[in-house]
Amino acid sequence: MDRHAPVGVYDSGVGGLTVVREIRRQLPAEQIIYLADSARLPYGDRPPQEIQLFARQIITFLLSRGVKMVVIACNTSSALALPIIREEFSLPLIGMIEPGVTAALRMSGKGKVGVIATQGTVDSDAYGRMLRKHGVKVYSQACPRFVPLIESGHLNSPQMAQAIDEYLGPLRAAGVDALIYGCTHYPFLNSQIQGYMGQTKTVDPAVEAVRQASLCLADMGLISPVKKNRDLFFTTGDPKEFARRGARLLGQELDRVEQIDLNAEG
Ligand code: DGL
């Protein structure tokens, strides 16, 4: 394997760009190949078997592009697919759940941790199970309206303010001292959520996930010494739309966005 080989990253939509942002910060010499499965978004309400099928298709596609690792920049896929498909692939797959738990345990003083996520991630209890093993009291909350509002750019809308109040009100009242962003879309709401939650520490699993990805690459001697190629973005949806939304959320233009039909890839 070549050290210059790209790192594959995928999500259902723009959420994984919060992980891209973190990879660019911690591993600036890595080329990223990103896939947004926008045509099948949201993942949050889909059954586990479907999420597993999508994960297999996407990882197979990323492998065909020569990636040396895949960062599953989607908590729903990390919770519902990663434990099932991990053994099917021989390259390293980095998910969001364990890193999110590790980071939350470090940050929580009182051991009262809130988890906000999609319905699928909450139902899987992936975060809850791991956190409770450490004696933590867990408060999970599904936030199904967040992803559609973020995808459509309504970050500062009255609908968003209302959704934040409805979903986070009970967690604030419970006095959680750390709040895990259990969906990669949610760090885009960081200022709104921090404003609402006051003293609660917010946890973006991407920071720890990318740290683990970096250790894993270093272990294999695969850290890229210099960035040779530009990042590439693929979407199963409308590439212009993805480029527009992505650039607005990231605050910088996306290098190149192409459309891909995963079913045609075989
Ligand atoms: N960003 C994703 C996650 O981390 C998926 C959101 C969705 O498509 O529902 O769970």
Side-chain angles (χ1 to χ4, degrees):
M1 183 55 84
D2 177 4
R3 287 184 300 167
H4 296 287
V7 172
V9 180
Y10 78 85
D11 179 41
S12 59
V14 293
L17 296 178
T18 60
V19 182
V20 167
R21 187 169 65 184
E22 194 54 33
I23 295 175
R24 286 177 171 173
R25 198 176 69 79
Q26 293 189 41
L27 291 165
E30 300 298 333
Q31 185 202 5
I32 296 166
I33 297 197
Y34 185 90
L35 186 129
D37 197 2
S38 317
R40 302 190 288 200
L41 173 127
Y43 274 11
D45 313 317
R46 291 181 180 271
Q49 291 76 9
E50 221 166 35
I51 301 295
Q52 289 152 19
L53 170 76
F54 296 169
R56 287 187 184 99
Q57 282 182 327
I58 293 168
I59 295 168
T60 304
F61 165 72
L62 291 170
L63 271 171
S64 77
R65 300 286 159 151
V67 300
K68 59 188 170 190
M69 158 185 280
V70 172
V71 179
I72 303 182
C74 171
N75 287 264
T76 312
S77 194
S78 302
L80 300 176
L82 180 57
I84 310 291
I85 61 156
R86 194 190 281 283
E87 299 305 315
E88 299 170 23
F89 296 93
S90 56
L91 85 171
L93 303 176
I94 307 284
M96 294 291 128
I97 311 292
E98 190 274 321
V101 168
T102 302
L105 290 173
R106 239 185 347 241
M107 287 167 88
S108 162
K110 290 186 290 179
K112 284 174 100 175
V113 175
V115 180
I116 49 173
T118 63
Q119 191 66 54
T121 302
V122 168
D123 290 349
S124 77
D125 198 30
Y127 275 110
R129 259 182 288 125
M130 260 197 224
L131 285 164
R132 283 193 297 272
K133 276 192 196 148
H134 296 272
V136 166
K137 191 146 174 40
V138 183
Y139 300 79
S140 299
Q141 175 67 53
C143 307
R145 295 209 300 283
F146 280 175
V147 167
L149 286 170
I150 293 167
E151 286 282 337
S152 57
H154 291 94
L155 272 70
N156 294 305
S157 60
Q159 301 99 295
M160 184 63 90
Q162 202 188 355
I164 287 176
D165 189 41
E166 182 183 322
Y167 298 143
L168 300 185
L171 300 180
R172 189 170 66 176
V176 298
D177 64 334
L179 177 67
I180 300 178
Y181 293 150
C183 169
T184 51
H185 281 74
Y186 302 171
F188 284 129
L189 292 177
N190 192 41
S191 57
Q192 291 89 328
I193 292 178
Q194 280 191 340
Y196 185 86
M197 293 299 286
Q199 295 306 305
T200 306
K201 297 182 186 105
T202 51
V203 180
D204 178 357
V207 179
E208 177 62 22
V210 176
R211 206 181 68 84
Q212 292 185 10
S214 158
L215 290 174
C216 176
L217 288 175
D219 239 26
M220 298 188 302
L222 286 180
I223 297 254
S224 169
V226 58
K227 191 156 181 165
K228 275 189 169 172
N229 298 304
R230 287 187 307 164
D231 296 339
L232 283 179
F233 295 84
F234 292 92
T235 174
T236 56
D238 178 351
K240 283 210 181 74
E241 188 60 21
F242 183 80
R244 198 178 58 76
R245 289 175 187 175
R248 204 169 51 198
L249 288 165
L250 267 188
Q252 65 189 122
E253 294 302 313
L254 302 187
D255 308 69
R256 212 170 86 191
V257 186
E258 287 174 28
Q259 190 172 39
I260 182 80
D261 178 355
L262 288 172
N263 295 312
E265 290 282 313

